[in-house]
Amino acid sequence: MKDGASLRVREVMTTQPSTIDGMATVEAALAMMRDRSISSLVVDRRDPGDEYGLVLVSDIAREAVGRSRPVSRIQVYEVMQKPAPYLTADMKLKYAVRQMSRFGLTHCIVLDGRDMVGIVSLRDMTVRFLEAAT
């Protein structure tokens, strides 16, 4: 096992994150999150020059529940974060944790160049970093 100082984001990320189209309903997004026991979805790019989006259950809570809007009538693009916050795959874990903490982020997509290669949560990175340190 590596020590925490040498761990990279790519070693902790979840590969092949669940994705959704921005035109899908929030209702469909919630169903996918529930079925897969996850709290985030990557929103597909419309074309190679576009940016990825990210939708968290907290985004849905704020926009749908907080504003009393029916989830069947809201589209993902209305509540997503775009561009999605991201980390690079080869970033050292300690710097990734610092960056996410500093900006109050809970999830980031992971990029290798312009290609999405995974998703990572602050929780997973922190736990893995501390496990490696002991």
Side-chain angles (χ1 to χ4, degrees):
M1 179 182 268
K2 287 186 167 187
D3 68 335
S6 62
L7 280 172
R8 304 288 175 160
V9 170
R10 78 170 58 251
E11 297 172 73
V12 180
M13 71 183 184
T14 299
T15 57
Q16 300 176 345
S18 297
T19 61
I20 194 164
D21 186 89
M23 295 300 289
T25 64
V26 167
E27 183 175 46
L30 283 170
M32 188 182 297
M33 289 177 178
R34 183 182 55 247
D35 293 346
R36 298 177 186 186
S37 297
I38 56 177
S39 59
S40 63
L41 294 168
V42 176
V43 182
D44 290 322
R45 297 186 297 186
R46 292 180 307 235
D47 59 67
D50 196 15
E51 301 301 324
Y52 290 100
L54 183 65
V55 63
L56 308 176
V57 74
S58 59
D59 298 325
I60 294 169
R62 182 183 61 251
E63 294 297 321
V65 178
R67 296 183 181 197
S68 299
R69 296 176 66 195
V71 293
S72 62
R73 298 181 67 194
I74 307 169
Q75 293 177 299
V76 169
Y77 77 85
E78 295 178 72
V79 300
M80 71 180 177
Q81 303 168 45
K82 188 169 181 175
Y86 71 90
L87 300 170
T88 59
D90 291 320
M91 181 183 275
K92 286 187 177 183
L93 210 55
K94 69 179 181 178
Y95 298 127
V97 169
R98 280 185 198 167
Q99 180 172 328
M100 288 180 71
S101 296
R102 181 171 291 138
F103 292 106
L105 302 170
T106 59
H107 294 74
C108 281
I109 64 170
V110 182
L111 298 180
D112 189 356
R114 291 223 3 107
D115 298 322
M116 183 195 47
V117 293
I119 192 166
V120 70
S121 72
L122 180 60
R123 179 206 170 276
D124 291 345
M125 288 192 305
T126 302
V127 168
R128 182 74 180 275
F129 184 84
L130 294 173
E131 284 175 346
T134 58

